[in-house]
Amino acid sequence: MSLAARIGLEHPVVQAGMGGGIAGAALAGAVSAAGGLGTVGIMGERAFTAALAEARERAGSGRPLAANLLVPFTRRGHVEACLRARVAVVVLHGGTLPEVIRTLTAGGIEVLQTVGTREQARRALADGATGLVAQGRDAGGHLVGVQDTPQTLAAVLEVAGGTSVWAAGGVAGAADTERLLAAGADAAVAGTRFVLSTESAAHPGYKQALVAGTRTVDTKLFGFGWPMRHRVLVNDAVERWGEGPAAVRALNERSGRFGARLPLTLMERYPSVQRLSLPVFTAGPALAGMPDRVLRVAPLYAGTSVAGLHDVIDAAEAVACLTPPGR
Ligand SMILES: Cc1cc2nc3c(=O)[nH]c(=O)nc-3n(C[C@H](O)[C@H](O)[C@H](O)COP(=O)(O)O)c2cc1C
């Protein structure tokens, strides 16, 4: 039985976990209530626990719910919150955590690892992951993908054996979902489509930028504390600094070690004090309620899918738009 069937997913549409507050209870709960799989993104432990409880309420009984954990920021409280909220699925991204996989699977939770290569897929399976997310380099936000999504999916399926694989990157509509399902994916994962929903906590100016924008780049500029690649819209920070000065790139490379030890809540608040003139930018997203100037200096995460997205709609409508007929 496929993973989507095991968790009782009505439609093969997954809302990506998006950390730092973008994907909270309102978004995840609405997606799950609409028959997709809603995912609460990582945030400080206390807020994460509360968001999972609220999302569970909003999803309604019998609807599966997921949580996303960025490995460097994962603490014991996050793992306990997932167990307590009885999430059906946890998706890990940005590193390996075999002991957490063991704890969660022992609690009856399906654990998927986000991978971009065959080697990462093999490692995840050896660690005990019960599913994989094949992420292409077209994906928005936090990137492990190095090839286009169809190639990544094919490569990951080659080593997956019977394990279910979901595919992320380039999903703007039902035709994209159908293409990935036809290529062997068990479900399609979309992020940018759901940032552009009423329920996402993205800054309204960020949503407008997504509606208007089409040009994305894959960059490490927003790498203070999280020195991995991101796909973002080109904003003032990217225009002005490109990949950033060499000294800042070196600082970012080293910052992973201590950045992950800082409280996530500090990283989340930092965008409000960032300045265009000082190119030390964190991965903290531009959220509703932050001053408008964050739009110039915070990462405006977007996948190549942004070229096909032109409106802000309710999350339930987004699930319907992404679901192929008869699926
Ligand atoms: C705003 C935003 C934030 C993201 N944050 C995370 C994250 O915290 N954890 C994660 O596993 N993936 C994250 N991603 C990547 C998604 O999981 C997914 O791979 C991607 O959104 C798919 O591409 P799409 O945005 O074109 O649909 C993020 C993506 C976006 C757009």
Side-chain angles (χ1 to χ4, degrees):
M1 196 192 263
S2 81
L3 201 157
R6 287 203 297 276
I7 63 168
L9 191 57
E10 186 183 345
H11 304 300
V13 171
V14 178
Q15 166 248 314
M18 297 179 278
I22 295 254
L27 178 57
V31 170
S32 284
L37 183 64
T39 308
V40 173
I42 196 165
M43 45 188 113
E45 286 162 85
R46 209 184 287 174
F48 184 70
T49 304
L52 280 176
E54 189 187 332
R56 155 78 40 247
E57 286 267 301
R58 287 174 181 256
S61 64
R63 291 297 197 184
L65 179 71
N68 180 265
L69 296 175
L70 292 172
V71 168
F73 298 110
T74 299
R75 306 281 181 272
R76 190 201 302 236
H78 292 112
V79 177
E80 283 167 2
C82 292
L83 289 164
R84 223 173 303 134
R86 292 170 291 106
V87 296
V89 169
V90 169
V91 178
L92 300 176
H93 184 106
T96 56
L97 274 181
E99 64 289 359
V100 167
I101 295 180
R102 277 194 293 278
T103 306
L104 292 170
T105 51
I109 296 174
E110 302 278 357
V111 184
L112 288 85
Q113 178 83 43
T114 306
V115 298
T117 63
R118 280 187 196 82
E119 292 64 40
Q120 289 169 4
R122 281 194 200 99
R123 169 75 202 265
L125 294 171
D127 285 349
T130 59
L132 300 167
V133 178
Q135 188 196 44
R137 70 173 162 210
D138 355 341
H142 303 53
L143 271 184
V144 292
V146 288
Q147 288 180 291
D148 294 344
T149 305
Q151 282 98 305
T152 310
L153 174 62
V156 171
L157 281 168
E158 260 175 45
V159 297
T163 303
S164 294
V165 181
W166 295 352
V171 178
D176 303 314
T177 305
E178 186 58 50
R179 255 192 301 277
L180 294 173
L181 296 178
D186 179 43
V189 181
T192 309
R193 168 67 283 177
F194 288 104
V195 179
L196 274 175
S197 70
T198 326
E199 291 90 340
S200 96
H203 190 291
Y206 172 17
K207 294 184 187 179
Q208 275 167 28
L210 291 176
V211 167
T214 54
R215 197 155 61 100
T216 65
V217 290
D218 167 350
T219 180
K220 286 185 167 182
L221 181 64
F222 302 95
F224 186 72
W226 174 273
M228 290 177 70
R229 294 149 52 231
H230 298 110
R231 183 170 294 284
V232 295
L233 270 187
V234 174
N235 66 352
D236 288 348
V238 178
E239 289 281 13
R240 168 136 181 212
W241 293 106
E243 282 290 331
V248 174
R249 289 205 303 274
L251 172 73
N252 285 353
E253 279 310 324
R254 274 182 228 116
S255 72
R257 264 175 258 144
F258 60 85
R261 280 187 217 116
L262 296 174
L264 206 49
T265 41
L266 193 73
M267 303 279 285
E268 285 161 9
R269 277 184 218 125
Y270 184 71
S272 295
V273 298
Q274 281 172 181
R275 293 279 175 274
L276 190 57
S277 53
L278 182 69
V280 180
F281 302 122
T282 69
L287 297 178
M290 287 181 173
D292 289 353
R293 63 185 152 73
V294 298
L295 300 169
R296 308 182 68 196
V297 292
L300 304 184
Y301 296 124
T304 58
S305 59
V306 72
L309 298 169
H310 310 292
D311 46 9
V312 180
I313 55 181
D314 289 348
E317 208 182 329
V319 172
C321 287
L322 294 172
T323 305
R327 300 273 195 177

